Amino acid sequence: MEEYYKRLEVQTDGCPTRTTVDQAECERTCTVSMLPLHMDDLSDQEVLEFQNRGILNESGDIVLMRAKHIAYLRKGLKVLPAGFVALDASRPWIIYWITHSLDLLNALRSDDDAAIIATLASCQQPTGGFGGGPQQLAHCAPTYAAVLTLLLLGTEAAYSAVDRSALYRFFTSIKHPSGGFRMHEDGEVDVRGTYTVISIAALLNILTPELVQGVAEYVLAAQTYEGGFGGEPGNEAHGGYAFCAFATLGILGRASDARLDSLEWWLCHRQMRLEGGFQGRTNKLVDGCYSFWQGGTLALLEYVRRGRIGEVTLLRGGKEGGAIRPEHGESPEPGNFELLKYHDNIMLEGGKEGGAIRPEHGESPEPGNVILPEVPCMLGEVKLGADGSRRCYYVHAHGQMGADGVTTFMHMVSPAGVHSGALAYNQRDLQRYVLLCAQQPEGGLRDKPGKTRDFYHTCYNLSGLSVTQHCLTETPSVLGDSANELLPTNPLYNITEVKAAMAMAHFAKLPCEHDALMQQQQQRQ
């Protein structure tokens, strides 16, 4: 076991930095949390201790401590400790994190609906948006959280609490000439505010040509040289912003206009080799919340690759099943895709091209006699066709290098169990991280071992777990106990699939034209 983890540890090249020291400590704590994976190395007493803590069942399978999480969440919905006064401007968020987590756990009860609706209604401001609390400034972030919560309740009373015309007027008032949206009146413009507006507008059937004008161009400009997306053009790539940007493009039917290969490369390299979870940015530590922000973006990317993004946008028309772009009219149905190849460009020491993988070139002549160690990497071949087939595996690459450095790899294999599932990251390792490193024995989930539980990390760890269990698979991929399976979440809107579909069906019957929505609001005033 020690030898296995040793191969995956951070390499310092003899020059430790604050970054590598913190990374090594994080790996150490995660390795301890992963002890239940190695039953043969544990004593009977240690196995019994893990079973008593609820981490393992009697058969030795890893367990999602469902009952403890539900108890933690339900308590938070009723009363919060005094320290939460610091989050007074995040009331809709707290309610969303809790209710969505309960819904994923199939434990959302209707007896709290009236209190939730009343609390959120008190946060909606005369301008149309929701503030973080009563009498607080209308802001895109709590608006997003409040509306999602009302939609996941899924009742007529909850739907009626959303004032669509007032909300539409608010969205038009924060539209920026750049194409993006401000977070609030006179606030910052970024892809986060843009996603919250576009996603809620899509769900409520108020996604008009006036609202989407210039949005895709603004978002595309935020893609960085690394392949990810920053909060705004020129900023560093970041997991949360990457999700917001790419999800926005997915809704608009413009996702394929992004540099998809670069995005996938960046996303896959955010999955940590030892821990299995994702980091949010280059050279940062693993964090359980990115199980959704990075894992969900990779899921959306796969839907785009297969021409199936319409299955999650739930919108009709558009080049990719996203929103119809008025300037182009309704596009034809997605057709077959050509076979395409790309290079992963993993940087290895030596090589005329930095060691880039070139599988199409085959074996290089007369390789030198220095053996290249095994290196985890991505196979740089993508197959897309009428059947939507695509495979992108983690592989072990075996090669040789001599005086001229690495030129190519002699052969590539994908051992069974290294990668499973339809997505381009190691789904098994991510589930392992959530279940063993992010769960807190008392209930609730956390950033990483050594951190404390909170509702935010509980929500996004569970959301990421749901994505990796359900997206693009006919049979759920569940690690450990079969009872670990969650309800499937929609990876674009992040409410459960059934609640997203119900909301779209409900609001599809209501007026959706710009003039009608604006006139409706003017009549009320």
Side-chain angles (χ1 to χ4, degrees):
M1 181 178 70
E2 253 181 62
E3 184 181 345
Y4 170 78
Y5 286 117
K6 196 74 177 173
R7 290 192 295 112
L8 301 177
E9 289 176 356
V10 62
Q11 302 300 310
T12 66
D13 298 324
C15 299
T17 65
R18 175 64 184 270
T19 298
T20 61
V21 169
D22 288 349
Q23 176 61 29
E25 175 59 20
C26 181
E27 290 173 349
R28 186 192 66 79
T29 57
C30 287
T31 300
V32 172
S33 297
M34 292 176 191
L35 283 174
L37 285 176
H38 307 277
M39 296 287 290
D40 294 340
D41 297 325
L42 301 179
S43 67
D44 292 342
Q45 182 60 39
E46 288 173 322
V47 171
L48 182 61
E49 181 182 342
F50 283 122
Q51 289 175 339
N52 290 337
R53 290 168 61 186
I55 296 173
L56 297 177
N57 62 18
E58 293 181 357
S59 302
D61 297 320
I62 306 170
V63 172
L64 176 68
M65 294 179 279
R66 184 180 295 266
K68 291 182 179 180
H69 300 326
I70 291 172
Y72 166 67
L73 292 162
R74 283 185 175 155
K75 182 179 179 181
L77 206 53
K78 298 294 185 183
V79 62
L80 294 170
F84 273 82
V85 69
L87 293 177
D88 180 62
S90 298
R91 294 189 196 187
W93 276 115
I94 295 170
I95 298 172
Y96 165 70
W97 296 329
I98 292 174
T99 51
H100 180 48
S101 297
L102 287 170
D103 205 19
L104 290 172
L105 293 163
N106 200 20
L108 189 60
R109 301 190 307 210
S110 60
D111 50 354
D112 294 316
D113 284 9
I116 291 172
I117 293 169
T119 300
L120 294 176
S122 71
C123 297
Q124 188 163 25
Q125 303 307 308
T127 56
F130 289 77
Q135 305 303 313
Q136 294 185 21
L137 183 70
H139 191 288
C140 281
T143 296
Y144 169 81
V147 174
L148 286 188
T149 302
L150 293 168
L151 300 190
L152 68 84
L153 294 182
T155 65
E156 189 64 39
Y159 293 155
S160 300
V162 180
D163 189 336
R164 292 170 69 250
S165 59
L167 195 55
Y168 181 75
R169 191 177 184 89
F170 170 64
F171 287 163
T172 58
S173 73
I174 55 175
K175 175 81 172 170
H176 189 263
S178 65
F181 290 85
R182 296 186 182 277
M183 289 299 294
H184 55 84
E185 184 181 357
D186 294 328
E188 69 274 26
V189 183
D190 58 30
V191 298
R192 178 184 45 148
T194 303
Y195 164 72
T196 56
V197 169
I198 295 300
S199 61
I200 293 303
L203 286 164
L204 298 180
N205 191 29
I206 55 175
L207 192 64
T208 65
E210 289 78 6
L211 212 57
V212 305
Q213 182 68 36
V215 171
E217 287 69 27
Y218 171 77
V219 172
L220 287 166
Q223 189 168 17
T224 76
Y225 72 96
E226 291 182 279
F229 288 82
E232 56 185 322
N235 282 7
E236 179 186 11
H238 181 285
Y241 292 122
F243 171 83
C244 290
F246 197 64
T248 299
L249 293 173
I251 293 170
L252 299 178
R254 297 287 300 278
S256 64
D257 290 343
R259 302 194 316 275
L260 300 185
D261 295 343
S262 298
L263 175 60
E264 186 169 54
W265 186 93
W266 182 81
L267 289 166
C268 288
H269 283 76
R270 302 286 70 76
Q271 186 170 27
M272 308 302 284
R273 293 175 58 190
L274 185 147
E275 303 93 304
F278 285 96
Q279 62 184 182
R281 290 179 285 161
T282 304
N283 286 333
K284 294 295 183 179
L285 301 179
V286 68
D287 186 335
C289 72
Y290 294 108
S291 302
F292 177 75
W293 298 124
Q294 306 283 36
T297 307
L298 278 162
L300 294 177
L301 181 57
E302 189 68 24
Y303 278 103
V304 172
R305 295 274 202 194
R306 297 189 182 200
R308 295 170 57 182
I309 189 64
E311 294 177 21
V312 290
T313 65
L314 306 179
L315 298 167
R316 294 183 64 252
K319 182 174 66 174
E320 300 164 2
I324 297 173
R325 290 181 286 165
E327 68 273 23
H328 295 296
E330 183 147 2
S331 301
E333 291 297 314
N336 296 345
F337 289 84
E338 297 178 356
L339 171 71
L340 73 102
K341 292 186 177 181
Y342 69 95
H343 304 311
D344 188 84
N345 293 325
I346 293 176
M347 299 305 293
L348 302 172
E349 291 184 7
K352 294 178 182 177
E353 300 177 7
I357 299 172
R358 295 181 293 162
E360 72 276 18
H361 290 179
E363 197 172 310
S364 63
E366 300 180 2
N369 55 13
V370 180
I371 302 298
L372 176 72
E374 287 191 353
V375 182
C377 60
M378 295 297 297
L379 176 61
E381 182 175 1
V382 179
K383 294 182 179 179
L384 288 163
D387 62 352
S389 64
R390 178 169 184 272
R391 294 294 180 266
C392 193
Y393 296 105
Y394 275 85
V395 301
H396 286 292
H398 303 267
Q400 296 177 319
M401 64 181 179
D404 64 343
V406 179
T407 55
T408 189
F409 292 100
M410 293 177 64
H411 63 279
M412 297 184 181
V413 294
S414 179
V418 172
H419 174 83
S420 60
L423 307 181
Y425 62 91
N426 194 313
Q427 294 170 248
R428 183 180 181 85
D429 280 3
L430 181 62
Q431 292 194 49
R432 182 192 69 186
Y433 179 80
V434 172
L435 294 171
L436 290 176
C437 298
Q439 286 197 100
Q440 190 155 318
E442 299 80 14
L445 290 95
R446 59 197 177 192
D447 168 348
K448 61 177 70 66
K451 301 290 186 178
T452 57
R453 64 186 179 179
D454 59 68
F455 300 121
Y456 168 82
H457 283 94
T458 299
C459 174
Y460 290 108
N461 269 296
L462 293 177
S463 298
L465 185 61
S466 174
V467 167
T468 198
Q469 287 179 350
H470 293 286
C471 279
L472 290 164
T473 178
E474 294 181 6
T475 304
S477 173
V478 180
L479 180 66
D481 194 304
S482 59
N484 294 348
E485 183 181 347
L486 300 170
L487 292 183
T489 194
N490 180 298
L492 196 151
Y493 303 115
N494 204 23
I495 55 177
T496 52
E497 286 183 351
V498 65
K499 298 298 177 59
M502 286 170 56
M504 296 287 263
H506 173 84
F507 291 107
K509 308 167 190 172
L510 304 180
C512 59
E513 292 77 22
H514 172 82
D515 291 343
L517 290 165
M518 296 296 284
Q519 184 178 10
Q520 198 174 57
Q521 179 62 15
Q522 288 170 358
Q523 288 174 348
R524 290 183 183 179
Q525 292 177 336

